[in-house]
Amino acid sequence: MDNNYDVIIIGAGPAGLTAGVYAGRAGLKTAILEYEAPGGKMIKTDEICNYPGVDNVGGVDLSMKMFEHATAYGATYLYGEVTAIADEGEYKRITASGQEYFAHVVIVATGTNERTLGFSKDDELLGKGLSYCAVCDGAFFRDKDVVVIGGGNSALEESVYLTQFANKVDLVIRRDVFRGDESNQRQVLNNPKINVIRKHIPTDYVVKDGKIGGMQFENLETGEKTVIEAQGVFPYIGAIPATSFLQGHEGVLDEEGYMIVDAHLQTNIPGVFGAGDVIQKNLRQIVTATSDGAITAQNAFHFIQDLKSKA
Ligand code: NAP
């Protein structure tokens, strides 16, 4: 197998797939390495209402359209979970699921993973009432009571999504204000099935017959502990950048693990770029991810041209 590419894009969310479209159109030999279905967080999103030009599109639909667009321009889709990148000068060596690949340019577009609550039963209860994906698991909670934790856009959107199935959604936030957008807040506050509980933090799961039976909270004003009975718990308490494979590279990651990039979206390793939610930025959106994808692919093209002109 020929494992040499001009560009390897790690991650097939909107940033990675857009980089695939642009790199393919620029005539670069391009591969996208991913260990899940294409789409990243988009594929776990029911409706996308803020992507310009399409006022409402399903997350699965947009994922498949971007995937088909990238592969139509020649990007090869490879299965693999990246564990290491080594800088060998003209080529970077990428290790993924036991295979080695080589590329002049690497575009890291791995996004973020869900932050867990940090309780001892986080792993044990996964799939037993605990879920981080309302779109995947919401239908299991038809006519049941669920708790959503967090006040960001994910928690707000997923609370609304869950009301199609659930009997009741308790949305618990730790401040008295939300972090998410005004439009998402309005949808939550206007939905009669959602009960917002403010100034409470989760303290542990309530387990019943080996499954979620509810959630215990502490009132931050009074210190009082309360239990909300529920069959489902959906924590949406933020994200952790998926960058463990970059940890050995000095100066590439900030203290939270986000990639540090320059105005060209390049790291301090020439030829290693970052795109999408994984880089330091203020606004994590599909539209900003696709923008990063286009910029990194274009810069990859110039980087490779320079490399070849010096050879
Ligand atoms: P987020 O914006 O970081 O919000 C995390 C929420 O969880 C915050 O409300 C935070 O409270 C709360 N939280 C954190 N740790 C907690 C804990 N231990 N206990 C209880 N609550 C805790 O995360 P996100 O909603 O996953 O969104 C991630 C990024 O993607 C954001 O930039 C977001 O705007 C973007 N996004 C955008 C859309 C959209 O535009 N439609 C949709 C989804 C996500 P505090 O507010 O008190 O800190």
Side-chain angles (χ1 to χ4, degrees):
M1 198 188 345
D2 177 9
N3 284 352
N4 286 9
Y5 293 87
D6 290 322
V7 185
I8 289 188
I9 299 158
I10 308 174
L17 292 173
T18 307
V21 171
Y22 277 70
R25 280 175 61 88
L28 300 174
K29 187 181 174 196
T30 304
I32 302 173
L33 259 168
E34 170 63 74
Y35 66 96
E36 286 185 337
K41 273 191 201 61
M42 290 193 298
I43 209 161
K44 298 180 180 171
T45 304
D46 180 39
E47 288 179 352
I48 293 162
C49 304
N50 55 3
Y51 194 65
V54 272
D55 65 351
N56 188 319
V57 59
V60 174
D61 279 0
L62 191 56
S63 300
M64 291 322 294
K65 284 198 169 96
M66 286 191 192
F67 168 70
E68 282 159 12
H69 202 166
T71 51
Y73 281 116
T76 304
Y77 200 75
L78 299 169
Y79 170 83
E81 184 168 4
V82 173
T83 46
I85 297 179
D87 181 15
E88 297 182 351
E90 196 184 324
Y91 274 97
K92 320 292 168 217
R93 177 162 40 91
I94 296 135
T95 310
S97 301
Q99 283 281 345
E100 288 198 331
Y101 302 92
F102 297 88
H104 294 305
V105 166
V106 178
I107 298 173
V108 178
T110 43
T112 58
N113 295 316
E114 307 83 10
R115 176 174 290 136
T116 59
L117 287 165
F119 299 142
S120 61
K121 291 203 162 65
D122 280 345
D123 291 339
E124 192 182 318
L125 292 169
L126 195 59
K128 294 177 182 152
L130 175 65
S131 169
Y132 299 91
C133 181
V135 173
C136 321
D137 300 330
F140 296 124
F141 298 92
R142 193 172 291 283
D143 300 326
K144 305 220 161 103
D145 294 340
V146 300
V147 171
V148 175
I149 303 164
N153 280 319
S154 301
L156 300 181
E157 289 182 358
E158 304 315 321
S159 295
V160 173
Y161 179 79
L162 284 165
T163 58
Q164 322 172 55
F165 311 104
N167 176 49
K168 180 171 72 112
V169 176
D170 282 309
L171 171 61
V172 185
I173 62 173
R174 64 182 176 182
R175 291 186 289 156
D176 58 353
V177 291
F178 296 105
R179 181 177 287 272
D181 300 346
E182 280 292 324
S183 63
N184 282 333
Q185 292 186 31
R186 263 197 308 280
Q187 287 200 51
V188 161
L189 296 171
N190 290 335
N191 192 313
K193 276 193 172 181
I194 303 177
N195 172 42
V196 178
I197 301 170
R198 297 164 197 263
K199 294 193 177 176
H200 279 68
I201 49 159
T203 47
D204 211 346
Y205 304 108
V206 176
V207 183
K208 205 169 165 188
D209 301 329
K211 294 191 252 177
I212 288 280
M215 197 78 211
Q216 190 183 68
F217 290 92
E218 183 183 329
N219 182 325
L220 286 173
E221 283 184 318
T222 64
E224 190 192 342
K225 293 259 169 72
T226 38
V227 166
I228 300 177
E229 287 186 13
Q231 291 75 51
V233 169
F234 289 81
Y236 287 106
I237 60 165
I240 297 172
T243 51
S244 54
F245 57 92
L246 288 170
Q247 265 163 14
H249 296 281
E250 206 174 316
V252 172
L253 302 179
D254 68 13
E255 63 284 353
E256 289 180 72
Y258 287 100
M259 291 177 75
I260 302 166
V261 291
D262 64 16
H264 301 284
L265 305 188
Q266 188 168 220
T267 64
N268 65 1
I269 307 171
V272 176
F273 294 82
D277 284 5
V278 75
I279 65 170
Q280 288 182 329
K281 57 160 65 179
N282 291 327
L283 187 62
R284 293 192 167 84
Q285 295 281 305
I286 299 170
V287 73
T288 60
T290 55
S291 165
D292 292 350
I295 292 166
T296 49
Q298 187 65 10
N299 289 334
F301 175 74
H302 292 306
F303 183 89
I304 291 164
Q305 272 194 326
D306 278 357
L307 206 64
K308 288 185 176 164
S309 70
K310 285 178 198 150

